[in-house]
């Protein structure tokens, strides 16, 4: 799920463990129950992933951290390098998650990004300011044409930051 959640649309990254016993599912009800509302974290830069990985241990007793770091970095660079759309809508994200995503965008990791979907979250002024600052940096998503933020908690201050 960590790989899939980097750049895939939310309905393509399902947590089937959230299915309810005895429930008969159709396509829409399966997606609704399994899209992990609020359970999908924003992407981490490879350096942030490496730092978080240092706090973990492997149950097989091996020290596979160098391998896992390399695999994550390669997947991160590949997925973000080719992404033209990023779909992080309806995930319950707030200002902290928006700020984390802003760090990724500010790094220049998504040079082909054209559309960013963040609607129906809980992002407020501070998260919007972080996104505006990141997207204003040279080389941060230079092809971005559409930013979808409806259904968040953005006030005048956040809107002013975007407009600046």
């Amino acid at each position: 799920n960590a790989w899939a959640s980097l750049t895939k649309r939310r309905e393509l990254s399902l947590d089937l463990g959230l299915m309810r016993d005895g429930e008969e599912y159709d396509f829409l009800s399966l997606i609704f129950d399994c899209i992990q509302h609020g359970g999908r974290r924003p992407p981490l830069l490879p350096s942030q992933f490496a730092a978080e990985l240092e706090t973990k241990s492997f149950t097989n007793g091996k020290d596979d951290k160098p391998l896992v770091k390399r695999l994550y970095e390669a997947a991160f660079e590949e997925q973000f390098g080719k992404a033209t759309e990023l779909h992080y809508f309806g995930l319950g994200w707030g200002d902290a998650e928006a700020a984390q995503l802003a760090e990724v965008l500010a790094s220049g990791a998504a040079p082909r990004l054209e559309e960013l979907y963040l609607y129906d979250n809980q992002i407020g002024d501070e998260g919007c300011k972080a996104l505006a600052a990141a997207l204003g940096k040279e080389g941060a998503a230079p092809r971005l044409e559409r930013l979808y933020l409806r259904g968040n908690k953005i006030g005048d201050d956040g809107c002013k930051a975007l407009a600046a």
Side-chain angles (χ1 to χ4, degrees):
N1 184 26
W3 301 119
S5 70
L6 281 176
T7 58
K8 283 195 177 183
R9 294 176 59 104
R10 71 182 191 151
E11 67 271 17
L12 297 177
S13 181
L14 304 178
D15 182 352
L16 299 179
L18 296 175
M19 293 176 67
R20 292 172 278 150
D21 289 338
E23 181 78 19
E24 287 192 31
Y25 286 96
D26 62 17
F27 177 72
L28 291 177
S29 63
L30 178 70
I31 288 175
F32 182 77
D33 273 8
C34 299
I35 56 173
Q36 304 177 28
H37 288 288
R40 185 170 162 196
R41 296 173 52 188
L44 296 173
L45 288 167
S47 60
Q48 295 166 322
F49 178 85
E52 191 168 308
L53 185 62
E54 287 304 318
T55 69
K56 311 292 182 198
S57 61
F58 293 96
T59 57
N60 65 4
K62 293 183 181 178
D63 185 15
D64 289 330
K65 290 176 186 173
L67 172 63
V68 173
K69 288 176 192 177
R70 284 193 309 273
L71 289 172
Y72 181 85
E73 185 171 5
F76 179 91
E77 290 173 2
E78 178 187 352
Q79 294 300 310
F80 276 93
K82 69 181 183 182
T84 58
E85 298 178 4
L86 292 175
H87 297 265
Y88 301 120
F89 58 89
L91 296 172
W93 285 9
D95 291 338
E97 291 84 1
Q100 174 60 46
L101 178 61
E103 284 188 55
V104 170
L105 296 173
S107 76
R112 296 179 185 202
L113 183 64
E114 297 173 3
E115 298 182 19
L116 178 56
Y117 296 85
L118 292 169
Y119 62 86
D120 292 340
N121 280 297
Q122 304 295 314
I123 300 168
D125 287 339
E126 295 308 310
C128 194
K129 288 177 189 177
L131 287 166
L135 293 171
K137 289 190 174 183
E138 183 74 28
R143 295 184 184 177
L144 186 67
E145 296 177 11
R146 290 182 237 13
L147 174 61
Y148 297 93
L149 289 167
R150 73 166 169 75
N152 281 286
K153 297 181 175 188
I154 301 166
D156 291 345
D157 288 344
C159 290
K160 287 177 187 173
L162 279 175

